[in-house]
Amino acid sequence: MPGGGGAGGVLLPNPVGNHHVSSKVFIQRDYSNGTAVKFMEKFPVELDGKISAADFTRTMGEINAIFEQAEHMGCRTYMEGCIGCLSAYLIFLCMESNYEKCIRRLHDYLERQNRDFYNPQGLHLISPMERGLRVIEVLIMSTNFAAPAR
């Protein structure tokens, strides 16, 4: 798991080489509109000079939009619940729920953003699913480090 572990000595595989995690920034949940999964779009000062505020806000906006769609209670969601209940939830062995589809879309989006935009800037986004939907972790990577002696 990229970035997993405690202290800053985590190595991340990268096509260019290994990077050392020099620091971490945590984007907190935004509870201003209730308990729906939404993350703050305010640009963290720690990322100043590494990424533009507009690009960061656009990324957070897309992540929030994906979660909004995942939690939307529409006709399809109610039908999934009813069919699931009637089939003792065996239907979900054959089909993917709307929430699962949205979470897969989130992972694909984060993977693309990391590969195409954040990793080349020396940053790496960790999925909020890996942090219990509490935070989005942004790793700030550095290539200038001495490897620990073994």
Side-chain angles (χ1 to χ4, degrees):
M1 168 175 29
V10 178
L11 292 177
L12 293 175
N14 192 335
V16 182
N18 287 329
H19 291 275
H20 181 265
V21 176
S22 62
S23 63
K24 299 176 181 182
V25 177
F26 297 96
I27 311 303
Q28 301 293 324
R29 284 271 298 267
D30 181 0
Y31 291 102
S32 63
N33 294 327
T35 59
V37 179
K38 183 178 179 187
F39 294 92
M40 294 193 178
E41 296 182 14
K42 184 177 182 251
F43 184 70
V45 69
E46 297 91 347
L47 298 180
D48 194 27
K50 297 178 183 357
I51 186 175
S52 75
D55 290 334
F56 175 81
T57 304
R58 185 174 36 255
T59 299
M60 291 300 116
E62 180 64 23
I63 290 170
N64 288 335
I66 290 171
F67 277 112
E68 184 178 343
Q69 183 182 10
E71 295 182 344
H72 176 72
M73 296 300 289
C75 183
R76 177 188 167 107
T77 307
Y78 287 117
M79 289 302 296
E80 282 178 358
C82 290
I83 293 170
C85 187
L86 291 173
S87 69
Y89 295 95
L90 294 174
I91 189 71
F92 293 115
L93 295 173
C94 304
M95 67 176 255
E96 196 174 40
S97 71
N98 180 55
Y99 191 84
E100 291 169 326
K101 286 178 185 176
C102 289
I103 296 305
R104 184 170 28 87
R105 204 171 96 222
L106 171 71
H107 285 289
D108 292 345
Y109 176 73
L110 288 175
E111 186 177 303
R112 251 188 345 271
Q113 287 292 91
N114 278 327
R115 181 188 63 235
D116 298 340
F117 186 71
Y118 284 90
N119 290 162
Q121 302 296 325
L123 303 171
H124 186 82
L125 297 174
I126 302 292
S127 173
M129 299 301 290
E130 294 183 32
R131 300 296 179 257
L133 293 177
R134 294 174 294 122
V135 295
I136 296 175
E137 187 175 347
V138 182
L139 304 177
I140 301 174
M141 299 180 287
S142 170
T143 55
N144 303 327
F145 73 95
R150 293 185 184 229

Short mmCIF file of all heavy atoms in Angstrom, two decimals, residues 35-59:
data_model
loop_
_atom_site.label_atom_id
_atom_site.label_comp_id
_atom_site.label_asym_id
_atom_site.label_seq_id
_atom_site.Cartn_x
_atom_site.Cartn_y
_atom_site.Cartn_z
N THR A 35 -23.41 15.12 7.81
CA THR A 35 -22.45 14.02 7.85
C THR A 35 -22.18 13.39 6.49
O THR A 35 -21.50 12.37 6.41
CB THR A 35 -22.92 12.93 8.82
OG1 THR A 35 -24.20 12.46 8.39
CG2 THR A 35 -22.99 13.44 10.25
N ALA A 36 -22.70 13.97 5.42
CA ALA A 36 -22.41 13.44 4.09
C ALA A 36 -20.90 13.52 3.84
O ALA A 36 -20.22 14.43 4.34
CB ALA A 36 -23.16 14.23 3.02
N VAL A 37 -20.37 12.56 3.08
CA VAL A 37 -18.93 12.55 2.81
C VAL A 37 -18.60 13.69 1.87
O VAL A 37 -19.00 13.71 0.71
CB VAL A 37 -18.49 11.20 2.21
CG1 VAL A 37 -17.00 11.22 1.90
CG2 VAL A 37 -18.82 10.06 3.15
N LYS A 38 -17.88 14.66 2.42
CA LYS A 38 -17.44 15.82 1.66
C LYS A 38 -16.14 16.30 2.31
O LYS A 38 -16.03 16.32 3.53
CB LYS A 38 -18.49 16.94 1.71
CG LYS A 38 -18.11 18.13 0.89
CD LYS A 38 -19.20 19.19 0.93
CE LYS A 38 -18.73 20.38 0.10
NZ LYS A 38 -19.64 21.50 0.23
N PHE A 39 -15.18 16.66 1.48
CA PHE A 39 -13.88 17.11 1.98
C PHE A 39 -13.70 18.59 1.71
O PHE A 39 -14.23 19.13 0.74
CB PHE A 39 -12.75 16.29 1.34
CG PHE A 39 -12.79 14.85 1.76
CD1 PHE A 39 -13.48 13.91 1.02
CD2 PHE A 39 -12.18 14.45 2.93
CE1 PHE A 39 -13.55 12.59 1.43
CE2 PHE A 39 -12.24 13.14 3.35
CZ PHE A 39 -12.93 12.21 2.60
N MET A 40 -12.95 19.24 2.60
CA MET A 40 -12.72 20.68 2.47
C MET A 40 -11.98 20.98 1.18
O MET A 40 -11.06 20.27 0.81
CB MET A 40 -11.93 21.18 3.67
CG MET A 40 -12.68 21.08 4.95
SD MET A 40 -11.86 22.02 6.22
CE MET A 40 -13.00 21.75 7.57
N GLU A 41 -12.40 22.03 0.52
CA GLU A 41 -11.78 22.43 -0.74
C GLU A 41 -10.82 23.59 -0.55
O GLU A 41 -10.24 24.07 -1.53
CB GLU A 41 -12.86 22.77 -1.77
CG GLU A 41 -13.72 21.56 -2.13
CD GLU A 41 -14.77 21.87 -3.18
OE1 GLU A 41 -14.69 22.93 -3.83
OE2 GLU A 41 -15.68 21.04 -3.35
N LYS A 42 -10.62 24.01 0.69
CA LYS A 42 -9.70 25.12 0.98
C LYS A 42 -8.27 24.66 0.71
O LYS A 42 -7.85 23.61 1.15
CB LYS A 42 -9.84 25.54 2.44
CG LYS A 42 -8.99 26.73 2.80
CD LYS A 42 -9.24 27.16 4.25
CE LYS A 42 -8.41 28.39 4.54
NZ LYS A 42 -7.31 28.11 5.44
N PHE A 43 -7.54 25.49 -0.02
CA PHE A 43 -6.18 25.16 -0.42
C PHE A 43 -5.25 25.20 0.78
O PHE A 43 -5.13 26.23 1.44
CB PHE A 43 -5.71 26.15 -1.49
CG PHE A 43 -4.35 25.85 -2.04
CD1 PHE A 43 -4.16 24.76 -2.86
CD2 PHE A 43 -3.27 26.68 -1.75
CE1 PHE A 43 -2.90 24.49 -3.39
CE2 PHE A 43 -2.02 26.42 -2.26
CZ PHE A 43 -1.84 25.32 -3.09
N PRO A 44 -4.55 24.09 1.09
CA PRO A 44 -3.63 24.09 2.23
C PRO A 44 -2.35 24.86 1.91
O PRO A 44 -1.77 24.70 0.84
CB PRO A 44 -3.31 22.61 2.46
CG PRO A 44 -3.99 21.85 1.40
CD PRO A 44 -4.67 22.80 0.48
N VAL A 45 -1.91 25.66 2.83
CA VAL A 45 -0.73 26.49 2.64
C VAL A 45 0.52 25.64 2.42
O VAL A 45 1.46 26.07 1.75
CB VAL A 45 -0.56 27.48 3.82
CG1 VAL A 45 -0.19 26.77 5.09
CG2 VAL A 45 0.44 28.56 3.47
N GLU A 46 0.55 24.41 2.93
CA GLU A 46 1.71 23.52 2.77
C GLU A 46 1.94 23.14 1.31
O GLU A 46 3.05 22.74 0.95
CB GLU A 46 1.54 22.24 3.60
CG GLU A 46 1.46 22.45 5.08
CD GLU A 46 0.04 22.63 5.59
OE1 GLU A 46 -0.88 22.84 4.78
OE2 GLU A 46 -0.14 22.58 6.81
N LEU A 47 0.91 23.25 0.48
CA LEU A 47 1.04 22.88 -0.93
C LEU A 47 1.35 24.08 -1.83
O LEU A 47 1.47 23.92 -3.04
CB LEU A 47 -0.23 22.18 -1.41
CG LEU A 47 -0.59 20.87 -0.70
CD1 LEU A 47 -1.87 20.29 -1.29
CD2 LEU A 47 0.54 19.88 -0.77
N ASP A 48 1.47 25.25 -1.22
CA ASP A 48 1.76 26.46 -1.99
C ASP A 48 3.10 26.30 -2.71
O ASP A 48 4.10 25.92 -2.12
CB ASP A 48 1.79 27.67 -1.06
CG ASP A 48 1.75 28.97 -1.83
OD1 ASP A 48 1.21 28.99 -2.95
OD2 ASP A 48 2.27 29.97 -1.31
N GLY A 49 3.11 26.55 -3.99
CA GLY A 49 4.32 26.43 -4.80
C GLY A 49 4.51 25.04 -5.39
O GLY A 49 5.38 24.84 -6.22
N LYS A 50 3.74 24.09 -4.94
CA LYS A 50 3.83 22.73 -5.47
C LYS A 50 2.71 22.42 -6.46
O LYS A 50 2.87 21.62 -7.37
CB LYS A 50 3.79 21.71 -4.33
CG LYS A 50 4.97 21.84 -3.38
CD LYS A 50 4.86 20.86 -2.25
CE LYS A 50 5.93 20.94 -1.21
NZ LYS A 50 7.00 21.85 -1.36
N ILE A 51 1.58 23.08 -6.27
CA ILE A 51 0.41 22.89 -7.12
C ILE A 51 -0.43 24.16 -7.05
O ILE A 51 -0.40 24.86 -6.04
CB ILE A 51 -0.40 21.65 -6.65
CG1 ILE A 51 -1.54 21.34 -7.60
CG2 ILE A 51 -0.91 21.83 -5.26
CD1 ILE A 51 -2.28 20.07 -7.25
N SER A 52 -1.15 24.46 -8.10
CA SER A 52 -1.98 25.67 -8.09
C SER A 52 -3.24 25.43 -7.26
O SER A 52 -3.75 24.31 -7.18
CB SER A 52 -2.34 26.10 -9.51
OG SER A 52 -3.34 25.26 -10.03
N ALA A 53 -3.74 26.49 -6.68
CA ALA A 53 -4.96 26.40 -5.87
C ALA A 53 -6.15 25.96 -6.74
O ALA A 53 -7.00 25.19 -6.29
CB ALA A 53 -5.25 27.74 -5.21
N ALA A 54 -6.19 26.41 -7.98
CA ALA A 54 -7.29 26.06 -8.88
C ALA A 54 -7.29 24.55 -9.18
O ALA A 54 -8.34 23.91 -9.18
CB ALA A 54 -7.20 26.86 -10.17
N ASP A 55 -6.11 23.98 -9.43
CA ASP A 55 -6.02 22.55 -9.71
C ASP A 55 -6.41 21.73 -8.48
O ASP A 55 -7.12 20.73 -8.60
CB ASP A 55 -4.60 22.17 -10.15
CG ASP A 55 -4.26 22.70 -11.53
OD1 ASP A 55 -5.20 22.92 -12.33
OD2 ASP A 55 -3.07 22.92 -11.80
N PHE A 56 -5.96 22.15 -7.31
CA PHE A 56 -6.31 21.45 -6.08
C PHE A 56 -7.83 21.50 -5.85
O PHE A 56 -8.45 20.48 -5.54
CB PHE A 56 -5.58 22.07 -4.89
CG PHE A 56 -5.98 21.48 -3.58
CD1 PHE A 56 -5.43 20.28 -3.15
CD2 PHE A 56 -6.92 22.11 -2.78
CE1 PHE A 56 -5.82 19.72 -1.94
CE2 PHE A 56 -7.31 21.56 -1.58
CZ PHE A 56 -6.76 20.36 -1.16
N THR A 57 -8.41 22.68 -6.01
CA THR A 57 -9.85 22.85 -5.80
C THR A 57 -10.65 22.02 -6.79
O THR A 57 -11.67 21.42 -6.43
CB THR A 57 -10.23 24.34 -5.90
OG1 THR A 57 -9.46 25.07 -4.96
CG2 THR A 57 -11.70 24.56 -5.64
N ARG A 58 -10.18 21.95 -8.02
CA ARG A 58 -10.85 21.13 -9.03
C ARG A 58 -10.81 19.65 -8.65
O ARG A 58 -11.82 18.95 -8.75
CB ARG A 58 -10.22 21.36 -10.41
CG ARG A 58 -10.92 20.64 -11.53
CD ARG A 58 -10.40 20.97 -12.93
NE ARG A 58 -8.97 21.19 -13.04
CZ ARG A 58 -8.39 22.39 -13.18
NH1 ARG A 58 -9.12 23.48 -13.24
NH2 ARG A 58 -7.08 22.49 -13.29
N THR A 59 -9.67 19.18 -8.16
CA THR A 59 -9.55 17.78 -7.73
C THR A 59 -10.49 17.49 -6.57
O THR A 59 -11.21 16.49 -6.58
CB THR A 59 -8.10 17.45 -7.33
OG1 THR A 59 -7.25 17.65 -8.46
CG2 THR A 59 -7.96 16.02 -6.84
#
